[in-house]
């Protein structure tokens, strides 16, 4: 088992804080010595008349990619959601409204969308944003050479999947030309879908659907790797990027709606340890801290601290099980491991952020044909330690084994993930007699190992890309790009693909319920809990809001 370590940048910050006396001699990481509301406010850059308004916060990982077509994680999307804008965007209340497009129409055929771009939209370098930039960006993400993990989100577009899966020797250009994305003129984009898609308009606000400046990428394919070459079209622009240390966003003077943007600058530090971030928040060096240490979440919640926010999140915390590695090819063994976890103990004593134990995959907050999808699903399995032992014994006998060999849980460096893994480790030891070791690695390393199948059990988490059960159930389609469990079931595939194309809301919802039942019966993943979004925010910062499927948004934030 590798030990959890700070990054060098985080270690430097800790030492600097200690030398300057910011910790005040107390163990502030425990949350017992000072309330969030009692910390000192920074005064040097904000609040007073004539000074810059600078919001300071932390991104807990170095972005894997800040190219909209290549990004795949929340450590990427938090920056992208503020540096870019799609055809549509969402209000703080979750309503889909005009973004780069001022209006749109859906033809009577149910598959042809026409988007009309605004006249006054520009890139951060002053270039006009055109319909061709959208066509270029979407076809780039679909191109086989890009190898984009999120290309499948563009499969709803006619010919998208065929182009993305072009075989060697195929006429790639012909396939690209056949994709249903056409530019009628500089301000008009026509998109033809494979079939009617009820949530397509929602998808156009998602980062894979953001535009890319065609001229910039053709001149420099590596434009998204450094701040000095970075070009975006959203309310903020990237002006500094010290890799693995920090990033700085500045207000984009070319943004069409800049009058609604109050912040001059947003400064991120990149810190993978939430205790360090919390200490910086307490000492006044951060205005927003997320994620928070788990014990701090519990303490602030008990105190009803006014700077503590606990919002809903359309997300599930789970463990992947590599079904290609024996003995986890056996569903009984997978179910035994799931049934041997006490989720109530984890959410109340470990996570402590108001999370809800998960006995299914799709989180609450999505409308069913009637009511809430998750509430209608109910519990698809239960915790039963005796039954878990029985299933484990039966599964081992079927695999010709006497016992489970020692196994590893892989998780990305984070104190919260470590504590959950330690709790699960002890539960499996106590309830199943299985010895478990823990491995922590950087987030990108974890993602890479999952893609390579180099794990037995790994921590997973998924935030919905749009507000529909499909954003969860299509993850485990056979050969799906995020099917890290390497699981396959033809009935599951059939139900999900049917639900993708049906316009009958009641029928498609039922198919997704059926698919979820198959998933939980075979248990290639182990749901642990449904997330919340607990964060700390200084009382002089206003206008921050949390969409149900995103990190806290600061587009319209202000500092008093």
């Amino acid at each position: 088992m590798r030990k959890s370590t700070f990054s060098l940048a985080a270690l430097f910050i800790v030492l600097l804080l200690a030398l300057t006396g910011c910790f005040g001699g107390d163990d502030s990481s425990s949350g017992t010595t000072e309330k969030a509301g009692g910390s000192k406010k920074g005064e040097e850059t904000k609040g007073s008349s004539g000074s810059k308004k600078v919001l300071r916060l932390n991104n807990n990982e170095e972005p894997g990619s800040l190219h909209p077509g290549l990004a795949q994680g929340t450590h990427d999307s938090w920056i992208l959601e503020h540096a870019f804008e799609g055809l549509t965007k969402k209000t703080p209340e979750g309503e889909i409204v005009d973004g780069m497009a001022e209006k749109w129409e859906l033809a009577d055929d149910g598959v042809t969308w026409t988007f009309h771009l605004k006249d006054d939209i520009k890139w951060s370098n002053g270039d006009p944003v055109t319909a061709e930039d959208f066509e270029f960006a979407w076809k780039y993400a679909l191109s086989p050479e890009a190898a984009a993990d999120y290309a499948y989100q563009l499969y709803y577009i006619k010919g998208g999947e065929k182009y993305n899966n072009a075989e060697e020797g195929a006429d790639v250009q012909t396939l690209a030309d056949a994709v249903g994305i056409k530019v009628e003129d500089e301000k008009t984009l026509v998109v033809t879908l494979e079939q009617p898609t009820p949530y397509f308009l929602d998808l156009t606000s998602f980062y894979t659907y953001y535009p890319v400046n065609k001229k910039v990428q053709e001149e420099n394919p590596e434009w998204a790797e450094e701040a000095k070459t970075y070009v975006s079209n959203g309310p903020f622009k990237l002006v500094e990027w010290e890799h693995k240390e920090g990033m700085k966003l500045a207000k984009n003077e070319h943004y069409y709606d800049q009058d609604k943007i109050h912040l001059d600058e947003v400064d991120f530090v990149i810190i993978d340890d939430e205790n360090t971030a919390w200490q910086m928040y307490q000492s006044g060096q951060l205005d927003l801290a997320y994620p928070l240490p788990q014990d701090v979440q519990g303490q602030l919640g008990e105190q009803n601290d006014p700077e503590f926010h606990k919002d809903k999140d359309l997300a599930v915390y789970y463990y992947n099980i590599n079904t290609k590695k024996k003995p986890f090819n056996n569903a009984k063994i997978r179910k035994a491991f799931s049934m041997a976890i006490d989720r109530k103990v984890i959410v109340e004593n470990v996570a402590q952020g108001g999370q809800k134990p998960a006995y299914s995959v799709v989180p609450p907050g999505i409308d069913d044909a009637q009511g809430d999808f998750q509430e209608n699903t109910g519990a698809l399995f239960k915790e039963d330690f005796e039954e878990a032992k029985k299933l484990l014994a039966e599964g081992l006998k079927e695999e010709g084994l006497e016992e489970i060999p020692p196994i590893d849980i892989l998780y990305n460096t984070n104190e919260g993930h470590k504590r959950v893994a330690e709790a699960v480790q002890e539960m499996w030891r106590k309830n199943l007699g299985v010895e478990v070791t823990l491995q922590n690695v950087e987030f990108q390393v974890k993602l890479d190992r999952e893609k390579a199948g180099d794990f037995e059990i790994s921590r997973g988490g998924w935030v919905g890309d749009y507000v529909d059960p499909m954003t969860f159930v299509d993850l485990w389609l056979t050969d799906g790009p995020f099917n890290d469990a390497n699981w396959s079931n033809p009935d599951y595939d059939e139900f999900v693909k049917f639900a993708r194309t049906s316009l009958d809301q009641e029928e498609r919802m039922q198919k997704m319920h059926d698919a979820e039942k198959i998933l939980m019966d075979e248990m290639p993943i182990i749901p642990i809990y449904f997330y919340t979004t607990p964060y700390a925010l200084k009382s002089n910062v206003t206008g921050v809001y949390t969409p149900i499927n995103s990190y806290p948004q600061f587009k319209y934030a202000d500092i008093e």
Side-chain angles (χ1 to χ4, degrees):
M1 181 178 76
R2 297 181 184 176
K3 294 183 178 180
S4 177
T5 59
F6 291 102
S7 68
L8 292 177
L11 181 58
F12 173 77
I13 292 168
V14 173
L15 293 174
L16 180 62
L17 289 172
L19 289 172
T20 56
C22 290
F23 291 179
D26 294 321
D27 180 13
S28 60
S29 66
S30 68
T32 60
T33 62
E34 183 178 14
K35 291 174 63 179
S39 58
K40 179 181 178 182
K41 305 291 191 295
E43 300 172 348
E44 68 281 3
T45 60
K46 57 188 185 342
S48 60
S49 177
S51 61
K52 290 194 343 183
K53 293 183 177 182
V54 181
L55 183 71
R56 301 159 304 170
L57 63 164
N58 63 296
N59 201 32
N60 63 332
E61 296 283 349
E62 166 78 2
S65 175
L66 289 183
H67 189 300
L70 301 178
Q72 60 171 312
T74 47
H75 59 317
D76 308 328
S77 64
W78 205 10
I79 309 297
L80 290 171
E81 287 167 349
H82 293 86
F84 280 83
E85 185 170 288
L87 292 167
T88 62
K89 60 185 178 182
K90 291 185 179 180
T91 67
E93 296 74 33
E95 180 186 0
I96 300 171
V97 297
D98 54 291
M100 292 286 106
E102 65 177 359
K103 60 181 180 179
W104 49 85
E105 305 100 33
L106 176 61
D108 292 340
D109 61 9
V111 297
T112 304
W113 289 84
T114 302
F115 295 90
H116 304 274
L117 273 59
K118 294 173 177 173
D119 291 328
D120 55 346
I121 50 177
K122 295 181 180 180
W123 291 99
S124 56
N125 66 353
D127 291 346
V129 178
T130 68
E132 190 175 16
D133 291 326
F134 280 93
E135 179 193 33
F136 176 79
W138 298 1
K139 286 186 176 180
Y140 171 78
L142 282 169
S143 64
E145 62 268 24
D149 288 312
Y150 256 123
Y152 80 98
Q153 289 290 29
L154 296 155
Y155 286 1
Y156 301 100
I157 300 172
K158 186 176 180 180
E161 183 173 9
K162 190 173 182 180
Y163 174 39
N164 185 240
N165 292 322
E167 297 179 358
E168 187 175 351
D171 187 343
V172 176
Q173 188 57 55
T174 298
L175 292 173
D177 292 340
V179 174
I181 310 168
K182 302 299 178 185
V183 174
E184 282 197 354
D185 55 51
E186 192 176 77
K187 295 296 180 182
T188 309
L189 183 74
V190 179
V191 183
T192 305
L193 308 183
E194 288 282 5
Q195 59 270 321
T197 304
Y199 43 87
F200 181 72
L201 200 60
D202 196 327
L203 276 168
T204 60
S205 67
F206 181 62
Y207 59 82
T208 308
Y209 281 78
Y210 290 162
V212 167
N213 188 309
K214 179 182 178 183
K215 177 183 175 183
V216 168
Q217 176 143 338
E218 287 181 337
E219 292 178 354
N220 177 18
E222 284 77 43
W223 65 272
E225 297 177 10
E226 300 293 340
K228 64 182 180 181
T229 54
Y230 203 78
V231 177
S232 61
N233 70 322
F236 296 92
K237 59 183 180 181
L238 183 67
V239 293
E240 290 185 19
W241 188 358
E242 297 295 329
H243 291 280
K244 297 192 175 182
E245 293 185 10
M247 293 171 286
K248 183 179 292 185
L249 301 177
K251 182 176 180 179
N252 178 9
E253 68 275 17
H254 294 296
Y255 184 58
Y256 69 93
D257 218 7
Q258 61 175 290
D259 290 346
K260 295 181 181 178
I261 309 304
H262 307 294
L263 297 176
D264 298 297
E265 190 173 291
V266 181
D267 292 355
F268 282 91
V269 291
I270 299 174
I271 296 177
D272 61 10
D273 184 82
E274 60 265 42
N275 287 306
T276 304
W278 171 241
Q279 289 163 349
M280 293 179 69
Y281 179 86
Q282 288 188 297
S283 66
Q285 296 181 78
L286 294 180
D287 304 300
L288 190 159
Y290 177 77
L292 294 170
Q294 292 169 329
D295 53 353
V296 170
Q297 294 176 33
Q299 191 112 49
L300 297 180
E302 290 177 0
Q303 295 170 348
N304 292 317
D305 193 296
E307 293 190 0
F308 178 59
H309 300 260
K310 186 177 65 179
D311 296 331
K312 294 180 180 179
D313 198 355
L314 194 69
V316 59
Y317 191 107
Y318 61 91
Y319 279 169
N320 290 297
I321 303 178
N322 191 342
T323 61
K324 297 300 183 184
K325 287 198 172 183
K326 210 171 180 179
F328 294 117
N329 57 302
N330 189 293
K332 289 182 179 179
I333 293 175
R334 299 194 297 265
K335 291 178 72 173
F337 273 70
S338 180
M339 296 172 71
I341 296 174
D342 191 330
R343 289 158 178 80
K344 184 177 180 181
V345 168
I346 289 176
V347 300
E348 292 183 356
N349 301 329
V350 182
Q352 301 184 68
Q355 295 86 351
K356 180 180 178 181
Y359 300 98
S360 56
V361 172
V362 178
I366 301 177
D367 288 340
D368 204 338
Q370 295 181 351
D372 182 271
F373 188 92
Q374 190 274 328
E375 290 180 5
N376 289 342
T377 298
L380 296 181
F381 65 94
K382 62 180 181 178
E383 290 148 3
D384 187 329
F385 305 152
E386 290 305 315
E387 180 67 16
K389 291 177 183 177
K390 178 182 175 183
L391 285 174
L392 179 61
E394 290 176 2
L396 288 173
K397 184 176 180 180
E398 290 173 2
E399 299 302 319
L401 298 172
E402 294 184 1
E403 61 181 13
I404 292 276
I407 61 172
D408 287 333
I409 295 177
L410 178 70
Y411 66 94
N412 52 293
T413 303
N414 175 284
E415 188 64 26
H417 299 329
K418 178 183 177 183
R419 290 185 181 184
V420 172
E422 288 174 339
V424 172
Q425 177 187 43
E426 175 58 19
M427 291 172 186
W428 284 345
R429 184 199 66 77
K430 178 181 177 182
N431 298 329
L432 295 178
V434 175
E435 294 301 320
V436 179
T437 57
L438 309 181
Q439 287 190 51
N440 75 283
V441 296
E442 291 184 357
F443 188 40
Q444 193 60 47
V445 173
K446 182 190 85 78
L447 295 178
D448 293 342
R449 285 186 58 179
E450 287 170 334
K451 290 289 179 286
D454 182 20
F455 73 97
E456 292 168 310
I457 295 175
S458 71
R459 184 210 74 83
W462 191 260
V463 181
D465 297 329
Y466 47 93
V467 186
D468 189 275
M470 184 60 69
T471 190
F472 292 92
V473 297
D474 70 359
L475 293 176
W476 294 282
L477 285 169
T478 299
D479 298 326
F482 293 100
N483 183 359
D484 297 323
N486 297 304
W487 174 74
S488 176
N489 180 289
D491 291 334
Y492 183 90
D493 292 349
E494 182 180 342
F495 288 148
V496 174
K497 290 176 180 177
F498 180 92
R500 273 182 169 176
T501 60
S502 174
L503 289 179
D504 185 319
Q505 192 71 344
E506 187 169 345
E507 192 173 32
R508 67 183 296 270
M509 289 294 173
Q510 184 57 54
K511 293 297 184 183
M512 287 188 281
H513 280 297
D514 295 341
E516 192 176 19
K517 288 177 183 177
I518 291 175
L519 187 71
M520 291 295 91
D521 185 54
E522 297 203 6
M523 205 67 71
I525 63 153
I526 299 176
I528 307 294
Y529 58 73
F530 297 125
Y531 278 95
T532 56
T533 306
Y535 64 97
L537 180 70
K538 298 297 185 185
S539 58
N540 64 328
V541 180
T542 61
V544 172
Y545 64 98
T546 309
I548 194 172
N549 61 338
S550 294
Y551 279 10
Q553 302 288 294
F554 49 82
K555 295 174 185 175
Y556 307 118
D558 202 353
I559 300 177
E560 298 174 349

